[in-house]
Amino acid sequence: MEPIYRKEYEIGPDAVDRFGRLKPSRLLLMAQQISGEHSSAMGLTYEALAAQGLFWAVVRNRLQVTRLPRQGERVYMETWPLPTTRTAYPRSTVAYDAQGNELFRTLSLWVLMNFESRAMVLPGKSGVTVDGTLRGLELASPRSLALKPMGSRMERPVRFTDLDRNGHMNNARYLDWIDDLLPSDFHSGHPIGDVTLCYLNEAREGQNLHVTWEQDSEGALLVDIHRPNGDDYDRVFAAKISYGNVVL
C-alpha cells in the first residue's frame, strides 16, 4: 500500500462561510475524510473494525492554516500515517492550491475505542498495525491545554445534527460551535490561523454542555467545554485558536 494517499477536492458553496472562505469545520472534515479513505484502503474499514468491536476516534488535533481556500477552488490533499506511539496512531495531512502553495496542514492523534465500554484500546492490545513514515513535513504533536477560569459562559445542548456515526458529537462540530462565539465583524478580518484541539470525553445526544471562553492578551481564543457533574468539572473539550489578518 502506498504510504501517501492523495485526493483532489473542489470547494462547494455548502463548505464556505458568509465570506466565501472554507469553514474550519469543513476543513477538518476534509482531513478526516481523506484519513478515513486511506485507512479503508489499508483494510481498516469502519465495518472491519466494528466486527472487532472497535472504532476510530480523534483525541487531539493541531491545525495550521496558511490560507483558507475559497468557493470554486480546487484543493490537492495528501495524508500519511506516522509511526504508531504507545497510545495513538498519529496522522499528518497537507493541502495545496492549484499553484502548489500550501493552504493548511494538520497533525491528528487517532485512537481505537471499544464500542461497548467506550474505553480506549492501546495499539499494543488492539491487534491493529499501521506502518508509519516520517517525511519532515509534520507538525509537532498537539499538547494538552490546562484548565483555567474563563470570562464568558453559555450552555448549549448536543443535538442530533451534532452526532456522527459513532453516536457522539463529531469533533469537527466543535469548530462550528467555536465560530459562533465570535461575530461576523471579527471573522471578516481574522481568518483562523493556528489551532490546538483536545477531545477529553465524548459528548452524547441530549447532554447540556457548558461552554466557557475568553480571548487572551495576544488575541487567541481559549475555549473549554464541560458537563455539569455535581462538584466535579467533567471536561469534554478544550481549544486554543489563534487568528490572522486578512491580506488585501
Side-chain angles (χ1 to χ4, degrees):
M1 170 57 61
E2 174 66 37
I4 304 168
Y5 185 85
R6 296 178 174 86
K7 184 169 182 175
E8 178 181 341
Y9 291 87
E10 181 172 346
I11 307 302
D14 60 333
V16 299
D17 62 18
R18 63 164 295 192
F19 303 109
R21 301 185 304 237
L22 181 66
K23 294 177 182 177
S25 61
R26 292 301 291 267
L27 184 161
L28 208 57
L29 283 172
M30 289 165 59
Q32 291 175 22
Q33 181 181 5
I34 191 174
S35 299
E37 290 181 7
H38 193 199
S39 179
S40 294
M42 293 187 294
L44 300 174
T45 64
Y46 179 91
E47 291 75 16
L49 290 173
Q52 302 177 57
L54 302 172
F55 66 92
W56 287 117
V58 178
V59 292
R60 289 187 191 170
N61 256 317
R62 172 85 188 280
L63 172 61
Q64 191 175 79
V65 179
T66 302
R67 181 177 70 84
L68 289 169
R70 303 187 70 83
Q71 181 177 336
E73 279 196 69
R74 302 201 75 81
V75 175
Y76 303 85
M77 297 181 66
E78 55 186 27
T79 187
W80 63 97
L82 281 64
T84 302
T85 70
R86 185 184 69 84
T87 57
Y89 300 83
R91 176 172 284 273
S92 183
T93 303
V94 183
Y96 305 91
D97 64 16
Q99 290 72 45
N101 301 307
E102 183 177 316
L103 293 168
F104 59 84
R105 60 176 59 199
T106 73
L107 193 289
S108 52
L109 299 183
W110 292 79
V111 299
L112 286 166
M113 304 287 290
N114 182 283
F115 257 121
E116 296 300 324
S117 68
R118 315 303 278 192
M120 187 174 73
V121 180
L122 294 175
K125 296 182 178 181
S126 69
V128 175
T129 301
V130 176
D131 294 327
T133 186
L134 291 171
R135 302 172 64 197
L137 301 174
E138 299 85 5
L139 291 171
S141 184
R143 296 181 178 181
S144 61
L145 294 171
L147 175 64
K148 60 168 293 184
M150 304 285 183
S152 299
R153 172 178 169 172
M154 66 175 290
E155 295 183 12
R156 184 163 176 170
V158 179
R159 301 297 194 193
F160 173 75
T161 54
D162 294 318
L163 307 178
D164 62 19
R165 194 176 182 183
N166 295 319
H168 58 208
M169 182 161 160
N170 182 268
N171 55 26
R173 284 289 290 149
Y174 288 99
L175 281 176
D176 286 328
W177 283 29
I178 290 171
D179 271 352
D180 288 342
L181 298 176
L182 297 171
S184 292
D185 286 348
F186 177 88
H187 287 298
S188 66
H190 301 89
I192 201 167
D194 197 287
V195 180
T196 298
L197 307 172
C198 297
Y199 307 94
L200 306 169
N201 280 292
E202 62 178 356
R204 307 297 288 271
E205 184 175 8
Q207 291 180 341
N208 201 41
L209 301 184
H210 291 195
V211 183
T212 60
W213 74 97
E214 68 179 15
Q215 287 183 269
D216 67 14
S217 59
E218 298 179 348
L221 182 66
L222 307 176
V223 181
D224 207 275
I225 299 178
H226 71 280
R227 282 187 293 254
N229 188 17
D231 294 330
D232 294 329
Y233 196 93
D234 189 5
R235 295 178 87 193
V236 172
F237 171 82
K240 180 177 181 179
I241 304 98
S242 297
Y243 295 89
N245 296 302
V246 170
V247 178
L248 301 177

